[in-house]
Amino acid sequence: EKGVTGGFLQTRSASLVRSYVMEKAELPDQSRQEVLAFLSGTQAQGYVPQSGEIIGILKTIGDEMGQSLSEATATETSAIQTYEALMAAKSKEVEVLQSQIEDKMTRVGNLGVRIAEMGNDIEDTKEALAEDQKFKQELEAGCSTKEAEWEEVKKMRAEEL
């Protein structure tokens, strides 16, 4: 791992910290020894740097996050495809249903026209029936008159003979 070992130890800041710890800091001897061991780059007093483990943990976390991202991306892509397929199917369904609605509305309109025509036909038929009944009454009246006239004609002929 680049920059893990001794990168800080080679800077001027490390020198300043070393001189401060050695001369001015009021630290317990054990802590002073650990800090100086760290700054000198030796771990004679039992200090074991943990940066390798930390870097390993960070790499593992990075790998797991990358894998989780890949899985989430794949899941989202699948969901998007499913959504698009569903929307396409629903759009086709809407078109079919819209066509059926238009057909049914046309049928309703045509039936309304036929009902109106039949209503007009009923009115015309009622009027014709009324005229025919009136004509029948006139004929019956005319027939009874003609019958009476005929009876009179027959009677006159019978008298003449």
Side-chain angles (χ1 to χ4, degrees), residues 57-99:
I57 291 170
L58 291 175
K59 282 186 176 183
T60 302
I61 291 172
D63 293 343
E64 289 174 357
M65 289 178 72
Q67 184 179 5
S68 294
L69 176 63
S70 297
E71 290 171 0
T73 303
T75 302
E76 186 66 21
T77 302
S78 173
I80 289 170
Q81 290 172 347
T82 302
Y83 171 78
E84 289 175 351
L86 177 65
M87 287 305 293
K90 289 298 180 182
S91 295
K92 288 179 183 177
E93 185 177 345
V94 166
E95 289 176 15
V96 168
L97 292 175
Q98 186 67 32
S99 173

Side-chain angles (χ1 to χ4, degrees), residues 130-160:
E131 289 176 9
D132 289 347
Q133 286 176 343
K134 183 178 176 186
F135 181 67
K136 178 184 169 195
Q137 289 175 352
E138 289 174 2
L139 281 179
E140 286 175 350
C143 282
S144 63
T145 306
K146 293 288 184 186
E147 234 177 72
E149 287 177 5
W150 177 248
E151 287 300 323
E152 212 175 290
V153 168
K154 273 186 5 184
K155 190 179 182 187
M156 278 199 175
R157 281 191 189 167
E159 284 179 11
E160 286 180 4

Side-chain angles (χ1 to χ4, degrees), residues 94-107:
V94 166
E95 289 176 15
V96 168
L97 292 175
Q98 186 67 32
S99 173
Q100 289 176 351
I101 288 171
E102 290 172 2
D103 291 345
K104 288 181 181 183
M105 289 182 74
T106 301
R107 285 179 53 201

Side-chain angles (χ1 to χ4, degrees), residues 4-59:
V4 172
T5 312
F8 174 72
L9 300 177
Q10 296 172 359
T11 64
R12 174 157 165 66
S13 299
S15 308
L16 289 173
V17 171
R18 185 180 303 119
S19 65
Y20 178 77
V21 169
M22 287 177 59
E23 297 172 9
K24 297 181 181 174
E26 296 180 16
L27 294 171
D29 286 337
Q30 179 66 28
S31 298
R32 185 184 313 269
Q33 295 290 335
E34 287 177 2
V35 171
L36 290 174
F38 173 74
L39 292 174
S40 66
T42 62
Q43 284 80 33
Q45 297 287 327
Y47 173 78
V48 179
Q50 301 293 316
S51 61
E53 281 183 47
I54 293 171
I55 291 174
I57 291 170
L58 291 175
K59 282 186 176 183

